[in-house]
Amino acid sequence: MTDVTPFIEQPPPARAAAVIPAAGLGLRLGPGAPKALRPLGGTPMLVHAVRAMARARAIALVVVVAPAEQVALVRSLLDEHPPPPAVEQLVVAGGATRQESVRLGLAALPEEIEVVLVHDAARPLVPVGTVDAVAAAVRAGAPAVVPALPVTDTVKSVAATAASGDPEPVVATPDRSLLRAVQTPQGFDRATLLAAHRANTADQATDDAGLVEQLGVPVVLVPGHEEAFKVTRPLDLLLAEAVLARRRTTDDF
Ligand code: CTP
Ligand code: MG
């Protein structure tokens, strides 16, 4: 007997893009090239970040937001280090703030992209498992997903008015068990993230999820990873080199 069961087509998986803001100067790292272009294990930090995102199965497109003067340089760098064949990449010029750079990256997304992961170039060593977990949570229906870790230092609030250089008066000590340090990639339903960026162009939030929270849309946390740390100061570069060296000896990286 022939099987007459009609072939039921599964809906195609939502296509996901990574937007990588990489247009910052890296002032806290000290004098030198823009942070994303500085080498880590001999390869620009940005290339590590692009690879980390392109390796995730969900990612079909990577949009790199480069320093405005370095767009051509970044394009040629990425041509030298091509992504897997199924992943497209685009380079656009960034703006004066991280928020503006992300907005410019979002503007370059093609229509069919439904899920967006925003990932700092300054977090070059995020493990692929973290990227996959964020993408999976968005695909499962969460409009905004952030990887986060418990805070290890005790955190104090200070008065906004203290003159710089003076000892700062402490206002409060929030309960550490209720605090989380957030990382990237932060994952979003595309329409939600676009609405959040449109609603706030005043550059107040230090992360994209913060803009979504301002809309009143729920944001959820998934476990982050200590290797997704942000390279901000010179000591972070030493740590990143050490993590990379360990990976090269242990996982044939
Ligand atoms: N970023 C960006 N455009 C800006 C500022 C920042 O795309 N105008 C990006 C950075 O390139 C980085 C991420 O946002 O990947 C996080 O920012 P941060 O760690 O603060 O990097 P920088 O701004 O480069 O560093 P600094 O603040 O020390 O100058
Ligand atoms: Mg900055």
Side-chain angles (χ1 to χ4, degrees):
M1 204 173 111
T2 49
D3 183 1
V4 290
T5 317
F7 174 67
I8 300 167
E9 233 181 278
Q10 294 292 317
R15 291 193 76 212
V19 170
I20 303 188
L25 297 174
L27 294 177
R28 287 169 290 178
L29 210 49
K35 180 159 69 181
L37 300 178
R38 300 209 202 181
L40 193 59
T43 306
M45 204 180 301
L46 171 64
V47 171
H48 291 277
V50 170
R51 278 185 192 155
M53 299 306 288
R55 215 176 279 134
R57 284 200 30 228
I59 300 294
L61 167 70
V62 176
V63 178
V64 172
V65 188
E69 277 86 61
Q70 266 107 1
V71 170
L73 173 68
V74 167
R75 280 200 185 116
S76 64
L77 263 181
L78 295 182
D79 287 346
E80 278 171 41
H81 302 274
V87 179
E88 284 175 64
Q89 53 191 21
L90 275 177
V91 182
V92 300
T97 63
R98 183 186 181 283
Q99 192 169 327
E100 199 185 330
S101 293
V102 173
R103 192 157 54 234
L104 291 164
L106 294 176
L109 292 178
E111 276 296 302
E112 68 271 18
I113 296 293
E114 292 168 29
V115 171
V116 183
L117 270 58
V118 182
H119 181 59
D120 291 331
R123 297 180 189 272
L125 300 179
V126 62
V128 70
T130 307
V131 183
D132 286 338
V134 169
V138 180
R139 283 174 157 185
V145 179
V146 176
L149 290 175
V151 172
T152 54
D153 288 322
T154 294
V155 174
K156 305 243 182 241
S157 298
V158 295
T161 49
S164 81
D166 285 355
E168 297 177 296
V170 169
V171 172
T173 304
D175 178 356
R176 191 175 73 188
S177 70
L178 298 177
L179 295 175
R180 301 289 179 269
V182 305
Q183 304 179 323
T184 71
Q186 298 189 349
F188 304 92
D189 159 62
R190 182 223 182 119
T192 303
L193 184 59
L194 279 181
H197 271 267
R198 283 201 190 110
N200 181 342
T201 49
D203 295 312
Q204 285 155 359
T206 52
D207 72 341
D208 300 281
L211 296 176
V212 171
E213 287 160 48
Q214 288 172 12
L215 287 186
V217 172
V219 173
V220 294
L221 305 185
V222 296
H225 195 287
E226 59 183 357
E227 292 180 11
F229 68 94
K230 187 155 71 75
V231 175
T232 305
R233 290 171 291 236
L235 190 61
D236 302 321
L237 263 185
L238 290 183
L239 179 61
E241 291 286 0
V243 170
L244 202 58
R246 196 215 51 216
R247 284 186 187 176
R248 281 179 171 156
T249 55
T250 57
D251 6 297
D252 185 27
F253 221 75

